[in-house]
């Protein structure tokens, strides 16, 4: 079951379920390494997801991404 904030992020930024999961982890301050470890993916894969997320959030970096997420939640 998706939470209200997951649904909002998905609608606002057209994110996949996995992207929503990672977006919330970025928002909560997880490092790429922590995200990779928690989701059992490589750090490179985590970075690829995060790059795609930045693009969808129209962000250049983590700080801008977090602000975009905060504005939506």
């Amino acid at each position: 079951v998706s939470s209200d904030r997951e649904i909002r992020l998905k609608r606002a930024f057209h994110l996949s379920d996995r992207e929503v999961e990672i977006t919330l982890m970025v928002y909560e301050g997880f490092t790429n390494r922590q995200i990779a470890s928690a989701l059992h993916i490589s750090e490179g894969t985590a970075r690829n997801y995060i790059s795609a997320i930045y693009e969808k959030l129209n962000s250049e970096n983590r700080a801008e991404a977090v602000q975009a997420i905060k504005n939506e939640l």
Side-chain angles (χ1 to χ4, degrees), residues 1-65:
V1 179
S2 292
S3 73
D4 187 46
R5 67 187 197 162
E6 288 171 343
I7 293 165
R8 274 203 296 260
L9 287 174
K10 193 177 282 197
R11 283 193 185 136
F13 301 115
H14 309 289
L15 301 172
S16 69
D17 289 344
R18 184 61 130 188
E19 287 170 339
V20 168
E21 192 175 14
I22 293 170
T23 298
L24 288 171
M25 293 175 90
V26 166
Y27 181 66
E28 289 162 10
F30 283 69
T31 65
N32 291 2
R33 180 171 287 160
Q34 289 169 322
I35 291 168
S37 176
L39 300 179
H40 308 290
I41 59 178
S42 74
E43 235 179 297
T45 300
R47 275 196 304 273
N48 290 342
Y49 273 112
I50 291 165
S51 293
I53 290 164
Y54 286 175
E55 208 165 296
K56 290 184 178 185
L57 271 56
N58 200 20
S59 305
E60 297 281 323
N61 54 46
R62 244 179 173 75
E64 287 182 14

